[in-house]
mmCIF file of all heavy atoms in Angstrom:
data_model
loop_
_atom_site.group_PDB
_atom_site.id
_atom_site.type_symbol
_atom_site.label_atom_id
_atom_site.label_comp_id
_atom_site.label_asym_id
_atom_site.label_seq_id
_atom_site.Cartn_x
_atom_site.Cartn_y
_atom_site.Cartn_z
ATOM 1 N N LYS A 167 131.767 32.873 -43.752
ATOM 2 C CA LYS A 167 131.796 31.543 -44.096
ATOM 3 C C LYS A 167 132.083 31.315 -45.582
ATOM 4 O O LYS A 167 131.179 31.419 -46.440
ATOM 5 C CB LYS A 167 130.386 30.831 -43.791
ATOM 6 C CG LYS A 167 130.426 29.323 -43.919
ATOM 7 C CD LYS A 167 129.157 28.692 -43.490
ATOM 8 C CE LYS A 167 129.183 27.194 -43.642
ATOM 9 N NZ LYS A 167 127.880 26.542 -43.217
ATOM 10 N N GLY A 168 133.337 31.287 -45.908
ATOM 11 C CA GLY A 168 133.766 31.226 -47.304
ATOM 12 C C GLY A 168 133.390 32.444 -48.051
ATOM 13 O O GLY A 168 133.810 33.592 -47.687
ATOM 14 N N GLU A 169 132.633 32.307 -49.143
ATOM 15 C CA GLU A 169 132.218 33.434 -49.991
ATOM 16 C C GLU A 169 130.885 34.056 -49.512
ATOM 17 O O GLU A 169 130.346 34.913 -50.214
ATOM 18 C CB GLU A 169 132.099 32.978 -51.394
ATOM 19 C CG GLU A 169 133.308 32.280 -52.031
ATOM 20 C CD GLU A 169 134.375 33.314 -52.275
ATOM 21 O OE1 GLU A 169 134.296 34.064 -53.294
ATOM 22 O OE2 GLU A 169 135.414 33.317 -51.480
ATOM 23 N N MET A 170 130.470 33.724 -48.297
ATOM 24 C CA MET A 170 129.251 34.280 -47.731
ATOM 25 C C MET A 170 129.547 34.907 -46.351
ATOM 26 O O MET A 170 130.492 34.562 -45.671
ATOM 27 C CB MET A 170 128.143 33.233 -47.599
ATOM 28 C CG MET A 170 127.759 32.588 -48.949
ATOM 29 S SD MET A 170 126.451 31.318 -48.680
ATOM 30 C CE MET A 170 127.468 30.017 -47.857
ATOM 31 N N ALA A 171 128.709 35.868 -45.994
ATOM 32 C CA ALA A 171 128.887 36.468 -44.678
ATOM 33 C C ALA A 171 127.576 36.977 -44.182
ATOM 34 O O ALA A 171 126.630 37.161 -44.945
ATOM 35 C CB ALA A 171 129.841 37.676 -44.833
ATOM 36 N N LYS A 172 127.479 37.145 -42.941
ATOM 37 C CA LYS A 172 126.245 37.706 -42.279
ATOM 38 C C LYS A 172 126.730 38.933 -41.407
ATOM 39 O O LYS A 172 127.691 38.780 -40.653
ATOM 40 C CB LYS A 172 125.567 36.710 -41.371
ATOM 41 C CG LYS A 172 124.841 35.598 -42.155
ATOM 42 C CD LYS A 172 124.045 34.768 -41.227
ATOM 43 C CE LYS A 172 123.134 33.742 -42.016
ATOM 44 N NZ LYS A 172 122.102 34.390 -42.763
ATOM 45 N N GLY A 173 126.102 40.013 -41.654
ATOM 46 C CA GLY A 173 126.449 41.207 -40.949
ATOM 47 C C GLY A 173 125.246 41.738 -40.028
ATOM 48 O O GLY A 173 124.131 41.852 -40.531
ATOM 49 N N GLN A 174 125.559 41.801 -38.720
ATOM 50 C CA GLN A 174 124.471 42.191 -37.779
ATOM 51 C C GLN A 174 124.192 43.653 -37.820
ATOM 52 O O GLN A 174 125.122 44.484 -37.848
ATOM 53 C CB GLN A 174 124.868 41.751 -36.355
ATOM 54 C CG GLN A 174 123.796 41.954 -35.329
ATOM 55 C CD GLN A 174 124.239 41.349 -33.962
ATOM 56 O OE1 GLN A 174 125.392 41.346 -33.640
ATOM 57 N NE2 GLN A 174 123.233 40.845 -33.160
ATOM 58 N N ILE A 175 122.907 43.974 -37.876
ATOM 59 C CA ILE A 175 122.508 45.400 -37.960
ATOM 60 C C ILE A 175 122.553 46.001 -36.572
ATOM 61 O O ILE A 175 121.918 45.458 -35.612
ATOM 62 C CB ILE A 175 121.157 45.558 -38.538
ATOM 63 C CG1 ILE A 175 121.139 45.020 -40.031
ATOM 64 C CG2 ILE A 175 120.723 47.017 -38.512
ATOM 65 C CD1 ILE A 175 119.767 45.012 -40.641
ATOM 66 N N VAL A 176 123.268 47.086 -36.395
ATOM 67 C CA VAL A 176 123.238 47.919 -35.227
ATOM 68 C C VAL A 176 122.501 49.219 -35.534
ATOM 69 O O VAL A 176 122.863 49.932 -36.459
ATOM 70 C CB VAL A 176 124.677 48.205 -34.702
ATOM 71 C CG1 VAL A 176 124.590 49.087 -33.452
ATOM 72 C CG2 VAL A 176 125.440 46.907 -34.420
ATOM 73 N N SER A 177 121.419 49.458 -34.853
ATOM 74 C CA SER A 177 120.593 50.638 -35.146
ATOM 75 C C SER A 177 120.849 51.680 -34.064
ATOM 76 O O SER A 177 120.388 51.442 -32.846
ATOM 77 C CB SER A 177 119.085 50.250 -35.235
ATOM 78 O OG SER A 177 118.345 51.406 -35.535
ATOM 79 N N GLY A 178 121.414 52.780 -34.330
ATOM 80 C CA GLY A 178 121.868 53.719 -33.325
ATOM 81 C C GLY A 178 122.840 53.037 -32.426
ATOM 82 O O GLY A 178 123.937 52.578 -32.801
ATOM 83 N N GLU A 179 122.564 52.872 -31.128
ATOM 84 C CA GLU A 179 123.391 52.161 -30.217
ATOM 85 C C GLU A 179 122.793 50.790 -29.907
ATOM 86 O O GLU A 179 123.424 50.069 -29.052
ATOM 87 C CB GLU A 179 123.535 53.010 -28.889
ATOM 88 C CG GLU A 179 124.271 54.308 -29.082
ATOM 89 C CD GLU A 179 125.619 54.185 -29.817
ATOM 90 O OE1 GLU A 179 126.376 53.283 -29.399
ATOM 91 O OE2 GLU A 179 125.922 55.015 -30.703
ATOM 92 N N GLN A 180 121.738 50.423 -30.535
ATOM 93 C CA GLN A 180 121.089 49.190 -30.187
ATOM 94 C C GLN A 180 121.503 48.045 -31.166
ATOM 95 O O GLN A 180 121.398 48.146 -32.336
ATOM 96 C CB GLN A 180 119.549 49.321 -30.278
ATOM 97 C CG GLN A 180 118.751 48.064 -29.871
ATOM 98 C CD GLN A 180 117.251 48.303 -29.954
ATOM 99 O OE1 GLN A 180 116.829 49.356 -30.276
ATOM 100 N NE2 GLN A 180 116.472 47.211 -29.634
ATOM 101 N N ILE A 181 122.006 46.985 -30.537
ATOM 102 C CA ILE A 181 122.345 45.783 -31.289
ATOM 103 C C ILE A 181 121.069 45.004 -31.608
ATOM 104 O O ILE A 181 120.366 44.636 -30.644
ATOM 105 C CB ILE A 181 123.429 44.916 -30.535
ATOM 106 C CG1 ILE A 181 124.713 45.682 -30.351
ATOM 107 C CG2 ILE A 181 123.695 43.646 -31.331
ATOM 108 C CD1 ILE A 181 125.708 45.006 -29.422
ATOM 109 N N THR A 182 120.798 44.749 -32.847
ATOM 110 C CA THR A 182 119.570 44.063 -33.175
ATOM 111 C C THR A 182 119.840 42.542 -33.441
ATOM 112 O O THR A 182 120.977 42.212 -33.673
ATOM 113 C CB THR A 182 118.868 44.623 -34.386
ATOM 114 O OG1 THR A 182 119.602 44.189 -35.567
ATOM 115 C CG2 THR A 182 118.852 46.163 -34.282
ATOM 116 N N PRO A 183 118.800 41.750 -33.482
ATOM 117 C CA PRO A 183 118.995 40.285 -33.789
ATOM 118 C C PRO A 183 118.957 40.069 -35.339
ATOM 119 O O PRO A 183 118.962 38.956 -35.810
ATOM 120 C CB PRO A 183 117.775 39.613 -33.123
ATOM 121 C CG PRO A 183 116.764 40.647 -33.156
ATOM 122 C CD PRO A 183 117.433 42.014 -32.949
ATOM 123 N N VAL A 184 118.939 41.160 -36.083
ATOM 124 C CA VAL A 184 118.779 41.064 -37.557
ATOM 125 C C VAL A 184 120.105 41.069 -38.299
ATOM 126 O O VAL A 184 121.051 41.874 -37.907
ATOM 127 C CB VAL A 184 117.909 42.276 -38.046
ATOM 128 C CG1 VAL A 184 117.707 42.159 -39.591
ATOM 129 C CG2 VAL A 184 116.606 42.325 -37.321
ATOM 130 N N TYR A 185 120.282 40.196 -39.239
ATOM 131 C CA TYR A 185 121.559 40.125 -40.035
ATOM 132 C C TYR A 185 121.221 40.322 -41.511
ATOM 133 O O TYR A 185 120.248 39.672 -41.993
ATOM 134 C CB TYR A 185 122.219 38.792 -39.809
ATOM 135 C CG TYR A 185 122.898 38.615 -38.492
ATOM 136 C CD1 TYR A 185 122.235 38.286 -37.352
ATOM 137 C CD2 TYR A 185 124.283 38.702 -38.418
ATOM 138 C CE1 TYR A 185 122.876 38.123 -36.140
ATOM 139 C CE2 TYR A 185 124.988 38.523 -37.216
ATOM 140 C CZ TYR A 185 124.194 38.276 -36.031
ATOM 141 O OH TYR A 185 124.857 38.060 -34.857
ATOM 142 N N PHE A 186 122.001 41.010 -42.205
ATOM 143 C CA PHE A 186 122.017 41.107 -43.638
ATOM 144 C C PHE A 186 122.947 39.976 -44.135
ATOM 145 O O PHE A 186 123.972 39.758 -43.537
ATOM 146 C CB PHE A 186 122.582 42.382 -44.214
ATOM 147 C CG PHE A 186 121.476 43.477 -44.456
ATOM 148 C CD1 PHE A 186 121.469 44.681 -43.737
ATOM 149 C CD2 PHE A 186 120.495 43.206 -45.440
ATOM 150 C CE1 PHE A 186 120.529 45.605 -44.002
ATOM 151 C CE2 PHE A 186 119.553 44.205 -45.681
ATOM 152 C CZ PHE A 186 119.514 45.438 -44.977
ATOM 153 N N ASP A 187 122.604 39.330 -45.222
ATOM 154 C CA ASP A 187 123.434 38.434 -45.900
ATOM 155 C C ASP A 187 124.329 39.208 -46.956
ATOM 156 O O ASP A 187 123.845 40.144 -47.555
ATOM 157 C CB ASP A 187 122.704 37.277 -46.658
ATOM 158 C CG ASP A 187 122.034 36.317 -45.681
ATOM 159 O OD1 ASP A 187 122.373 36.369 -44.512
ATOM 160 O OD2 ASP A 187 121.267 35.515 -46.166
ATOM 161 N N PHE A 188 125.551 38.741 -47.063
ATOM 162 C CA PHE A 188 126.467 39.352 -48.044
ATOM 163 C C PHE A 188 127.070 38.154 -48.839
ATOM 164 O O PHE A 188 127.306 37.110 -48.307
ATOM 165 C CB PHE A 188 127.560 40.147 -47.399
ATOM 166 C CG PHE A 188 127.179 41.396 -46.710
ATOM 167 C CD1 PHE A 188 126.606 41.275 -45.393
ATOM 168 C CD2 PHE A 188 127.267 42.628 -47.253
ATOM 169 C CE1 PHE A 188 126.178 42.471 -44.772
ATOM 170 C CE2 PHE A 188 126.864 43.779 -46.613
ATOM 171 C CZ PHE A 188 126.320 43.635 -45.422
ATOM 172 N N ASN A 189 127.295 38.376 -50.094
ATOM 173 C CA ASN A 189 127.940 37.376 -50.970
ATOM 174 C C ASN A 189 129.136 37.995 -51.740
ATOM 175 O O ASN A 189 128.986 39.108 -52.206
ATOM 176 C CB ASN A 189 126.910 36.795 -51.983
ATOM 177 C CG ASN A 189 125.874 36.006 -51.279
ATOM 178 O OD1 ASN A 189 126.092 34.946 -50.727
ATOM 179 N ND2 ASN A 189 124.595 36.455 -51.314
ATOM 180 N N LYS A 190 130.166 37.188 -51.846
ATOM 181 C CA LYS A 190 131.348 37.638 -52.526
ATOM 182 C C LYS A 190 131.231 37.257 -53.997
ATOM 183 O O LYS A 190 131.238 36.036 -54.347
ATOM 184 C CB LYS A 190 132.613 37.016 -51.901
ATOM 185 C CG LYS A 190 133.883 37.858 -52.121
ATOM 186 C CD LYS A 190 134.986 37.295 -51.301
ATOM 187 C CE LYS A 190 136.223 38.222 -51.354
ATOM 188 N NZ LYS A 190 137.421 37.622 -50.622
ATOM 189 N N GLU A 191 131.187 38.271 -54.827
ATOM 190 C CA GLU A 191 131.060 38.058 -56.278
ATOM 191 C C GLU A 191 132.261 38.743 -57.022
ATOM 192 O O GLU A 191 132.465 39.880 -56.911
ATOM 193 C CB GLU A 191 129.749 38.629 -56.750
ATOM 194 C CG GLU A 191 128.484 38.010 -56.153
ATOM 195 C CD GLU A 191 127.208 38.614 -56.574
ATOM 196 O OE1 GLU A 191 127.283 39.693 -57.214
ATOM 197 O OE2 GLU A 191 126.122 38.115 -56.178
ATOM 198 N N LYS A 192 133.016 37.904 -57.679
ATOM 199 C CA LYS A 192 134.217 38.364 -58.372
ATOM 200 C C LYS A 192 135.114 39.074 -57.411
ATOM 201 O O LYS A 192 135.595 40.221 -57.682
ATOM 202 C CB LYS A 192 133.854 39.238 -59.575
ATOM 203 C CG LYS A 192 133.046 38.451 -60.685
ATOM 204 C CD LYS A 192 132.770 39.318 -61.840
ATOM 205 C CE LYS A 192 132.018 38.550 -62.906
ATOM 206 N NZ LYS A 192 131.636 39.418 -64.063
ATOM 207 N N GLU A 193 135.296 38.557 -56.199
ATOM 208 C CA GLU A 193 136.237 39.068 -55.199
ATOM 209 C C GLU A 193 135.749 40.314 -54.524
ATOM 210 O O GLU A 193 136.466 41.012 -53.869
ATOM 211 C CB GLU A 193 137.591 39.337 -55.723
ATOM 212 C CG GLU A 193 138.319 38.054 -56.354
ATOM 213 C CD GLU A 193 138.373 36.921 -55.203
ATOM 214 O OE1 GLU A 193 138.863 37.205 -54.172
ATOM 215 O OE2 GLU A 193 138.014 35.845 -55.586
ATOM 216 N N VAL A 194 134.478 40.695 -54.765
ATOM 217 C CA VAL A 194 133.882 41.941 -54.157
ATOM 218 C C VAL A 194 132.665 41.550 -53.381
ATOM 219 O O VAL A 194 131.739 40.822 -53.853
ATOM 220 C CB VAL A 194 133.495 42.912 -55.274
ATOM 221 C CG1 VAL A 194 132.851 44.162 -54.634
ATOM 222 C CG2 VAL A 194 134.701 43.312 -56.111
ATOM 223 N N TRP A 195 132.575 42.022 -52.093
ATOM 224 C CA TRP A 195 131.363 41.746 -51.277
ATOM 225 C C TRP A 195 130.208 42.610 -51.736
ATOM 226 O O TRP A 195 130.324 43.767 -52.010
ATOM 227 C CB TRP A 195 131.708 42.083 -49.815
ATOM 228 C CG TRP A 195 132.613 41.067 -49.247
ATOM 229 C CD1 TRP A 195 133.929 41.214 -48.847
ATOM 230 C CD2 TRP A 195 132.146 39.705 -48.710
ATOM 231 N NE1 TRP A 195 134.425 40.068 -48.289
ATOM 232 C CE2 TRP A 195 133.429 39.137 -48.257
ATOM 233 C CE3 TRP A 195 131.035 39.002 -48.799
ATOM 234 C CZ2 TRP A 195 133.418 37.837 -47.739
ATOM 235 C CZ3 TRP A 195 131.081 37.719 -48.296
ATOM 236 C CH2 TRP A 195 132.191 37.094 -47.772
ATOM 237 N N LYS A 196 128.977 41.862 -51.892
ATOM 238 C CA LYS A 196 127.750 42.529 -52.232
ATOM 239 C C LYS A 196 126.708 42.185 -51.234
ATOM 240 O O LYS A 196 126.706 41.097 -50.627
ATOM 241 C CB LYS A 196 127.320 42.082 -53.649
ATOM 242 C CG LYS A 196 128.376 42.321 -54.803
ATOM 243 C CD LYS A 196 128.417 43.775 -55.087
ATOM 244 C CE LYS A 196 129.347 44.016 -56.300
ATOM 245 N NZ LYS A 196 128.752 43.691 -57.584
ATOM 246 N N ILE A 197 125.769 43.106 -50.987
ATOM 247 C CA ILE A 197 124.655 42.887 -50.068
ATOM 248 C C ILE A 197 123.468 42.267 -50.644
ATOM 249 O O ILE A 197 123.125 42.541 -51.832
ATOM 250 C CB ILE A 197 124.255 44.218 -49.330
ATOM 251 C CG1 ILE A 197 123.350 44.031 -48.199
ATOM 252 C CG2 ILE A 197 123.695 45.166 -50.371
ATOM 253 C CD1 ILE A 197 123.123 45.301 -47.328
#
């Protein structure tokens, strides 16, 4: 979503309901 993103955590082979937020700073994605 624009300069923001959400990345879903996959632990081993298990898809979790947990997402890390990421922000784009100076054209570079940061967690």
Side-chain angles (χ1 to χ4, degrees):
K167 189 176 181 181
E169 302 289 284
M170 297 180 291
K172 286 185 174 293
Q174 188 173 29
I175 298 175
V176 179
S177 183
E179 297 303 317
Q180 182 179 358
I181 298 173
T182 76
V184 182
Y185 285 78
F186 268 117
D187 288 350
F188 294 80
N189 292 294
K190 205 172 189 182
E191 298 175 354
K192 297 182 179 178
E193 300 302 312
V194 178
W195 286 105
K196 302 287 184 78
I197 189 171

